[in-house]
Each structure stands twice: as C-alpha cells, then as structure tokens.
Amino acid sequence: MATHHIIKRILLHPPSTSVRFKTTSVQYVASRARDPTFEKLMDNYKNLLKVVAIQDLILANPKNPTVSLQFLSNLSQKLHLNRGAASFLRKYPHIFHVFYDPSKSLPFCKLTDAAVEISRLEAAAIRGSMPIVVDRLVRLLSMSTVAKSLPLRAIFKVWRELGLPDDFEDSVILQNPHLFKLCDGNEPNTHVLKLVSVVPSGNLRAAVENWRIMECCKEDCGSSVDPLELRFSFKHGFPPGMRLGKNFKAKVKEWQRLPYVGPYEEMGEKKKSKSGIMGLEKRAVAIVHEFLSLTVEKTVEVEKISHFRKWFEIDLNIRDLFLDHPGMFYLSTKGKRHTVFLREAYERGCLIDPNPVYDAKRKLLDLVVLGRHRLFSSGSTLQDMDGNEEGKLQEEGGNG
C-alpha cells in the first residue's frame, strides 16, 4: 500500500490518544473539549494582537512615532477593527493617545507614556536575552531535516514568538557567521537560513527530556513511577470536564510507551509499517512540542507553524495533530485564527516559568484588559479630547 494511503488511513483513524471517525475538519474542531481558562486568555489575546499591530505601525517611524487615523481607517478591515479605527483606539486610552494636529487638519494617534515604557522594557529584555535567542534559532534549524536549513520567510512569520529582535537579520544572523549563513532560495528573491556548524544531537536536550529527568529525580519517583514508563512519555493534563474513559486512558498509556525519534535526532529510513507510521506521528508531536517550548509565550498560530511542515518532514495535518493530543496542546479558535498553547506551560492563564520578554508582553496585556477603567488614576498622562476633536474622530471612525 502506498505511503500516502497509509497516512490517509492514519489521519481518519489515528493511533493516538483520541478516537476520531470520518468527520469534517470543522466538525472535528468544534467537537474539541473547551478549556475556559485558555478561552478567557484568548479573548484578551485577540485584542492584544490588534493593539500590537497598531503599535508596530506607530513605531515604524522612530523620528515621529505617530500615525494618522485616516491611515488606520483605511486599514480597518485588514486589522480586523470591526467598528473602525477611532472606536478601537478609544477602548484603550492607557495605550493610545489620540490628538488633533491643526497644521495638518487631521487627528493622529501615538502611544501613551505607559505603552512607550512597556515597548522599551520588551526591547531591553530581548537585547538582554541574546544568547537565549541565538540558542533558539540554532535549535529551530537543528530540527530541520532539509540540510539543517529553513526559509527566511518562515522565520519572519514567528520572529516575535521566538523573541527575536526586529533587526535579527543583522543583530543575530550576521553577527554570528560561525553559526548562520543566508543562502539564495530556489525561487527569486527568497533566502534560506542554514546552520553552518551542525550541533551533535547529543548536545541538544529537548524540553520534554528535561521534564523526564525532573520526574525521575523526585523523591517519590522510585515508588510511584517506573523509569521505563517515562522513557518516551510526555506530560499530560486534560481540559476540566473532559471525559476520560477506560479505553481512552488505555490508549494514552499505549501512546506514551511508543518509541520514536526525538526532534534533534536523525530520521533514518522511514518504515511503512503501522508501527513506523505511528512512530512518525509521535516524532511530529515531539517536534511541535519542542517548537512551542522554544517560543516566548509557549503559544503560536497554527498557520504560522504550518510553514515549517516540509522542512521538519511532518506529513500530517498540523492542526489535527494538536486536536489528537488534547492532554498536551490546547487549540483555540478565538479571533478568527487557530492558536495553539502548550498546556503544561500554563497554570491559571499564566506561564508557570515566565521570562523577561514574556513579563514585558504581559504588562501590555494588562493594559488591554484594563480597557477604559482607572482612566484618571494611572500615570500615563492621558487627556480627554474636546468636543471638536471627538467629532472629527467619529467621522474618521465612520470611514473604517
């Protein structure tokens, strides 16, 4: 039987922890067990992403970090500002300060002092974590089975998630010629980032391996956990209220014991047997698990990680992979996008092991959650607009 037919059968009846019948993708997504904590977090994140998009436009001109509302209104649809730019900006007075420029007869927007400070904190945190940033990029390239290289455009998709500086081509790639090399791609005007010195797989320990070591080092490990059980295991934690029947638990246990090739190990020859296909699926899980572990916030849009499929030799549907393993990943559909979280990294909607870049990002999220509350008690020197300016903003908002 051809490999793609076997893979198709595996997708329809996966050998993983879930039991899935022939359903459409939409039905499969809709049938997943919801987790209220992650859903609430995504409610705020979807607005944060819009805020960050506007913030980037404002900061794109460092000499005059402002942007006109007319310009933002023209981008309302692209930025998903459903009620127009002016209406959206008014929701976040702790982040955006809107003012009227008489010389140009136009309303403009700039960041508040509080938002500017958060932006500076994030930039400083990124600069301070450059060794970690370099290590992340080395690890990402080391997972590639295609000559330890990745298309630059794919990395651009996740530069923020990886905590890379916005000038990472210069500050990271060109500053480390002993590690990275930019080559011309197969298509015009495309580039491929290649790892110059390949790191032996034994020198790269995956995040899940660190967890296994910690589990084995626990005082009660010898009496409660068989080290052989942990050898190929991943940490699991299921959504509250999800029914875990006997058969389901048995499948989880069977999957945990399944051998596989780690994310930094060489693939070797692909076996077309059932066990070989199952091993490829578990390797794919290991790769996306490690990918999420490398991100600043242990989360990424599914569409973005899909750009790496070919380079990681993942022959399975990435989104379905996340859905097939609800004990490890949580998939949210909020904000007209599919976003996946590494479940084990979070507790009560916050990272268990935060980092300085995450802490800075979280401060901006706090201002998003704050909305219009405590408008006059914060130190962001916000001012309400007079009637004329408000009227002009409503007119601009109507154009969005």
mmCIF file of all heavy atoms in Angstrom, residues 233-260:
data_model
loop_
_atom_site.group_PDB
_atom_site.id
_atom_site.type_symbol
_atom_site.label_atom_id
_atom_site.label_comp_id
_atom_site.label_asym_id
_atom_site.label_seq_id
_atom_site.Cartn_x
_atom_site.Cartn_y
_atom_site.Cartn_z
ATOM 1 N N SER A 233 7.636 9.211 27.388
ATOM 2 C CA SER A 233 6.405 9.898 27.805
ATOM 3 C C SER A 233 6.470 11.410 27.652
ATOM 4 O O SER A 233 7.554 12.012 27.647
ATOM 5 C CB SER A 233 6.089 9.566 29.266
ATOM 6 O OG SER A 233 5.773 8.209 29.416
ATOM 7 N N PHE A 234 5.282 12.014 27.558
ATOM 8 C CA PHE A 234 5.102 13.466 27.582
ATOM 9 C C PHE A 234 4.143 13.801 28.720
ATOM 10 O O PHE A 234 3.287 12.993 29.082
ATOM 11 C CB PHE A 234 4.509 13.969 26.259
ATOM 12 C CG PHE A 234 5.462 13.938 25.101
ATOM 13 C CD1 PHE A 234 5.693 12.759 24.405
ATOM 14 C CD2 PHE A 234 6.133 15.081 24.699
ATOM 15 C CE1 PHE A 234 6.566 12.720 23.335
ATOM 16 C CE2 PHE A 234 7.013 15.060 23.625
ATOM 17 C CZ PHE A 234 7.232 13.868 22.935
ATOM 18 N N LYS A 235 4.288 14.997 29.259
ATOM 19 C CA LYS A 235 3.387 15.421 30.329
ATOM 20 C C LYS A 235 1.998 15.666 29.774
ATOM 21 O O LYS A 235 1.835 16.284 28.723
ATOM 22 C CB LYS A 235 3.914 16.699 30.995
ATOM 23 C CG LYS A 235 3.125 17.089 32.237
ATOM 24 C CD LYS A 235 3.757 18.283 32.939
ATOM 25 C CE LYS A 235 3.007 18.630 34.216
ATOM 26 N NZ LYS A 235 3.625 19.762 34.935
ATOM 27 N N HIS A 236 0.992 15.175 30.485
ATOM 28 C CA HIS A 236 -0.390 15.339 30.053
ATOM 29 C C HIS A 236 -1.226 16.002 31.150
ATOM 30 O O HIS A 236 -0.991 15.774 32.339
ATOM 31 C CB HIS A 236 -1.023 13.981 29.724
ATOM 32 C CG HIS A 236 -0.706 13.477 28.350
ATOM 33 N ND1 HIS A 236 0.568 13.152 27.953
ATOM 34 C CD2 HIS A 236 -1.507 13.257 27.273
ATOM 35 C CE1 HIS A 236 0.540 12.739 26.695
ATOM 36 N NE2 HIS A 236 -0.701 12.797 26.254
ATOM 37 N N GLY A 237 -2.173 16.811 30.737
ATOM 38 C CA GLY A 237 -3.146 17.419 31.635
ATOM 39 C C GLY A 237 -4.352 17.789 30.809
ATOM 40 O O GLY A 237 -4.236 18.595 29.889
ATOM 41 N N PHE A 238 -5.490 17.216 31.091
ATOM 42 C CA PHE A 238 -6.635 17.360 30.199
ATOM 43 C C PHE A 238 -7.565 18.502 30.613
ATOM 44 O O PHE A 238 -7.576 18.925 31.774
ATOM 45 C CB PHE A 238 -7.407 16.043 30.140
ATOM 46 C CG PHE A 238 -6.609 14.928 29.534
ATOM 47 C CD1 PHE A 238 -5.882 14.052 30.330
ATOM 48 C CD2 PHE A 238 -6.554 14.774 28.163
ATOM 49 C CE1 PHE A 238 -5.119 13.043 29.765
ATOM 50 C CE2 PHE A 238 -5.798 13.770 27.587
ATOM 51 C CZ PHE A 238 -5.080 12.899 28.382
ATOM 52 N N PRO A 239 -8.359 19.012 29.652
ATOM 53 C CA PRO A 239 -9.296 20.105 29.969
ATOM 54 C C PRO A 239 -10.265 19.689 31.062
ATOM 55 O O PRO A 239 -10.671 18.522 31.128
ATOM 56 C CB PRO A 239 -10.043 20.321 28.636
ATOM 57 C CG PRO A 239 -9.140 19.768 27.589
ATOM 58 C CD PRO A 239 -8.412 18.622 28.238
ATOM 59 N N PRO A 240 -10.631 20.627 31.933
ATOM 60 C CA PRO A 240 -11.580 20.284 33.001
ATOM 61 C C PRO A 240 -12.909 19.838 32.402
ATOM 62 O O PRO A 240 -13.417 20.421 31.447
ATOM 63 C CB PRO A 240 -11.732 21.610 33.776
ATOM 64 C CG PRO A 240 -11.277 22.676 32.823
ATOM 65 C CD PRO A 240 -10.240 22.043 31.962
ATOM 66 N N GLY A 241 -13.436 18.761 32.953
ATOM 67 C CA GLY A 241 -14.726 18.267 32.474
ATOM 68 C C GLY A 241 -14.623 17.290 31.317
ATOM 69 O O GLY A 241 -15.628 16.703 30.908
ATOM 70 N N MET A 242 -13.417 17.091 30.771
ATOM 71 C CA MET A 242 -13.265 16.146 29.660
ATOM 72 C C MET A 242 -13.394 14.724 30.186
ATOM 73 O O MET A 242 -12.751 14.342 31.157
ATOM 74 C CB MET A 242 -11.901 16.337 28.991
ATOM 75 C CG MET A 242 -11.689 15.434 27.800
ATOM 76 S SD MET A 242 -10.110 15.767 26.974
ATOM 77 C CE MET A 242 -10.130 14.476 25.726
ATOM 78 N N ARG A 243 -14.238 13.937 29.520
ATOM 79 C CA ARG A 243 -14.488 12.562 29.957
ATOM 80 C C ARG A 243 -13.303 11.677 29.571
ATOM 81 O O ARG A 243 -12.913 11.613 28.414
ATOM 82 C CB ARG A 243 -15.773 12.043 29.330
ATOM 83 C CG ARG A 243 -17.019 12.786 29.788
ATOM 84 C CD ARG A 243 -18.258 12.256 29.100
ATOM 85 N NE ARG A 243 -18.522 10.876 29.415
ATOM 86 C CZ ARG A 243 -19.513 10.153 28.870
ATOM 87 N NH1 ARG A 243 -20.323 10.712 27.979
ATOM 88 N NH2 ARG A 243 -19.679 8.888 29.201
ATOM 89 N N LEU A 244 -12.761 11.003 30.553
ATOM 90 C CA LEU A 244 -11.612 10.118 30.333
ATOM 91 C C LEU A 244 -12.034 8.689 30.661
ATOM 92 O O LEU A 244 -11.920 8.236 31.805
ATOM 93 C CB LEU A 244 -10.424 10.542 31.203
ATOM 94 C CG LEU A 244 -9.948 11.997 31.064
ATOM 95 C CD1 LEU A 244 -8.835 12.277 32.061
ATOM 96 C CD2 LEU A 244 -9.468 12.266 29.649
ATOM 97 N N GLY A 245 -12.537 7.989 29.656
ATOM 98 C CA GLY A 245 -12.986 6.617 29.859
ATOM 99 C C GLY A 245 -11.827 5.637 29.930
ATOM 100 O O GLY A 245 -10.669 5.994 29.739
ATOM 101 N N LYS A 246 -12.165 4.384 30.219
ATOM 102 C CA LYS A 246 -11.147 3.348 30.341
ATOM 103 C C LYS A 246 -10.370 3.174 29.046
ATOM 104 O O LYS A 246 -9.141 3.079 29.041
ATOM 105 C CB LYS A 246 -11.818 2.018 30.726
ATOM 106 C CG LYS A 246 -11.807 1.720 32.208
ATOM 107 C CD LYS A 246 -12.316 0.306 32.452
ATOM 108 C CE LYS A 246 -12.284 0.012 33.958
ATOM 109 N NZ LYS A 246 -12.769 -1.366 34.224
ATOM 110 N N ASN A 247 -11.087 3.102 27.943
ATOM 111 C CA ASN A 247 -10.441 2.903 26.648
ATOM 112 C C ASN A 247 -9.506 4.065 26.316
ATOM 113 O O ASN A 247 -8.419 3.869 25.771
ATOM 114 C CB ASN A 247 -11.489 2.731 25.546
ATOM 115 C CG ASN A 247 -12.224 1.411 25.659
ATOM 116 O OD1 ASN A 247 -11.730 0.475 26.286
ATOM 117 N ND2 ASN A 247 -13.410 1.328 25.054
ATOM 118 N N PHE A 248 -9.971 5.266 26.635
ATOM 119 C CA PHE A 248 -9.173 6.457 26.362
ATOM 120 C C PHE A 248 -7.869 6.410 27.160
ATOM 121 O O PHE A 248 -6.785 6.642 26.631
ATOM 122 C CB PHE A 248 -9.967 7.711 26.698
ATOM 123 C CG PHE A 248 -9.247 8.998 26.393
ATOM 124 C CD1 PHE A 248 -9.342 9.583 25.151
ATOM 125 C CD2 PHE A 248 -8.449 9.617 27.358
ATOM 126 C CE1 PHE A 248 -8.670 10.756 24.860
ATOM 127 C CE2 PHE A 248 -7.776 10.781 27.084
ATOM 128 C CZ PHE A 248 -7.889 11.365 25.824
ATOM 129 N N LYS A 249 -7.975 6.100 28.444
ATOM 130 C CA LYS A 249 -6.787 6.038 29.300
ATOM 131 C C LYS A 249 -5.815 4.966 28.819
ATOM 132 O O LYS A 249 -4.589 5.143 28.870
ATOM 133 C CB LYS A 249 -7.206 5.773 30.748
ATOM 134 C CG LYS A 249 -7.930 6.939 31.416
ATOM 135 C CD LYS A 249 -8.342 6.587 32.835
ATOM 136 C CE LYS A 249 -9.057 7.749 33.503
ATOM 137 N NZ LYS A 249 -9.499 7.421 34.881
ATOM 138 N N ALA A 250 -6.371 3.853 28.342
ATOM 139 C CA ALA A 250 -5.535 2.773 27.838
ATOM 140 C C ALA A 250 -4.777 3.208 26.590
ATOM 141 O O ALA A 250 -3.597 2.879 26.417
ATOM 142 C CB ALA A 250 -6.391 1.543 27.531
ATOM 143 N N LYS A 251 -5.459 3.978 25.733
ATOM 144 C CA LYS A 251 -4.813 4.480 24.512
ATOM 145 C C LYS A 251 -3.704 5.478 24.850
ATOM 146 O O LYS A 251 -2.651 5.508 24.200
ATOM 147 C CB LYS A 251 -5.858 5.123 23.599
ATOM 148 C CG LYS A 251 -6.722 4.123 22.849
ATOM 149 C CD LYS A 251 -7.710 4.840 21.948
ATOM 150 C CE LYS A 251 -8.541 3.820 21.168
ATOM 151 N NZ LYS A 251 -7.726 3.077 20.186
ATOM 152 N N VAL A 252 -3.956 6.311 25.858
ATOM 153 C CA VAL A 252 -2.932 7.266 26.296
ATOM 154 C C VAL A 252 -1.699 6.516 26.791
ATOM 155 O O VAL A 252 -0.559 6.839 26.431
ATOM 156 C CB VAL A 252 -3.472 8.188 27.414
ATOM 157 C CG1 VAL A 252 -2.346 9.021 28.008
ATOM 158 C CG2 VAL A 252 -4.564 9.102 26.873
ATOM 159 N N LYS A 253 -1.934 5.489 27.605
ATOM 160 C CA LYS A 253 -0.825 4.707 28.161
ATOM 161 C C LYS A 253 -0.038 4.017 27.046
ATOM 162 O O LYS A 253 1.204 3.995 27.053
ATOM 163 C CB LYS A 253 -1.367 3.677 29.151
ATOM 164 C CG LYS A 253 -0.282 3.026 29.997
ATOM 165 C CD LYS A 253 -0.893 2.218 31.133
ATOM 166 C CE LYS A 253 0.204 1.669 32.037
ATOM 167 N NZ LYS A 253 -0.350 0.926 33.190
ATOM 168 N N GLU A 254 -0.763 3.485 26.074
ATOM 169 C CA GLU A 254 -0.111 2.805 24.947
ATOM 170 C C GLU A 254 0.717 3.800 24.134
ATOM 171 O O GLU A 254 1.842 3.495 23.718
ATOM 172 C CB GLU A 254 -1.183 2.148 24.061
ATOM 173 C CG GLU A 254 -0.616 1.428 22.847
ATOM 174 C CD GLU A 254 -1.711 0.930 21.923
ATOM 175 O OE1 GLU A 254 -2.914 1.098 22.249
ATOM 176 O OE2 GLU A 254 -1.373 0.385 20.854
ATOM 177 N N TRP A 255 0.160 4.984 23.899
ATOM 178 C CA TRP A 255 0.859 6.012 23.115
ATOM 179 C C TRP A 255 2.107 6.493 23.852
ATOM 180 O O TRP A 255 3.149 6.716 23.248
ATOM 181 C CB TRP A 255 -0.074 7.181 22.838
ATOM 182 C CG TRP A 255 0.510 8.179 21.895
ATOM 183 C CD1 TRP A 255 0.466 8.170 20.531
ATOM 184 C CD2 TRP A 255 1.254 9.355 22.255
ATOM 185 N NE1 TRP A 255 1.125 9.249 20.015
ATOM 186 C CE2 TRP A 255 1.625 10.004 21.045
ATOM 187 C CE3 TRP A 255 1.635 9.930 23.465
ATOM 188 C CZ2 TRP A 255 2.351 11.191 21.027
ATOM 189 C CZ3 TRP A 255 2.366 11.103 23.438
ATOM 190 C CH2 TRP A 255 2.722 11.722 22.232
ATOM 191 N N GLN A 256 2.015 6.639 25.171
ATOM 192 C CA GLN A 256 3.155 7.103 25.959
ATOM 193 C C GLN A 256 4.343 6.151 25.849
ATOM 194 O O GLN A 256 5.498 6.571 25.873
ATOM 195 C CB GLN A 256 2.751 7.252 27.435
ATOM 196 C CG GLN A 256 1.782 8.391 27.714
ATOM 197 C CD GLN A 256 2.496 9.730 27.832
ATOM 198 O OE1 GLN A 256 3.238 10.116 26.951
ATOM 199 N NE2 GLN A 256 2.257 10.434 28.932
ATOM 200 N N ARG A 257 4.068 4.877 25.709
ATOM 201 C CA ARG A 257 5.135 3.870 25.644
ATOM 202 C C ARG A 257 5.735 3.744 24.245
ATOM 203 O O ARG A 257 6.758 3.087 24.076
ATOM 204 C CB ARG A 257 4.584 2.513 26.071
ATOM 205 C CG ARG A 257 4.218 2.428 27.555
ATOM 206 C CD ARG A 257 3.561 1.098 27.838
ATOM 207 N NE ARG A 257 3.340 0.892 29.265
ATOM 208 C CZ ARG A 257 2.695 -0.155 29.778
ATOM 209 N NH1 ARG A 257 2.231 -1.088 28.973
ATOM 210 N NH2 ARG A 257 2.539 -0.273 31.076
ATOM 211 N N LEU A 258 5.109 4.356 23.279
ATOM 212 C CA LEU A 258 5.521 4.185 21.885
ATOM 213 C C LEU A 258 6.884 4.821 21.619
ATOM 214 O O LEU A 258 7.064 6.017 21.832
ATOM 215 C CB LEU A 258 4.460 4.828 20.978
ATOM 216 C CG LEU A 258 4.659 4.718 19.471
ATOM 217 C CD1 LEU A 258 4.475 3.280 19.015
ATOM 218 C CD2 LEU A 258 3.672 5.629 18.746
ATOM 219 N N PRO A 259 7.874 4.050 21.155
ATOM 220 C CA PRO A 259 9.190 4.632 20.840
ATOM 221 C C PRO A 259 9.094 5.582 19.649
ATOM 222 O O PRO A 259 8.178 5.472 18.829
ATOM 223 C CB PRO A 259 10.041 3.400 20.485
ATOM 224 C CG PRO A 259 9.291 2.229 21.013
ATOM 225 C CD PRO A 259 7.847 2.605 20.949
ATOM 226 N N TYR A 260 10.019 6.486 19.549
ATOM 227 C CA TYR A 260 10.039 7.438 18.446
ATOM 228 C C TYR A 260 11.416 8.067 18.340
ATOM 229 O O TYR A 260 12.249 7.921 19.231
ATOM 230 C CB TYR A 260 8.982 8.541 18.654
ATOM 231 C CG TYR A 260 9.331 9.488 19.787
ATOM 232 C CD1 TYR A 260 9.861 10.750 19.523
ATOM 233 C CD2 TYR A 260 9.153 9.117 21.114
ATOM 234 C CE1 TYR A 260 10.202 11.619 20.557
ATOM 235 C CE2 TYR A 260 9.486 9.963 22.148
ATOM 236 C CZ TYR A 260 10.019 11.205 21.863
ATOM 237 O OH TYR A 260 10.363 12.059 22.881
#
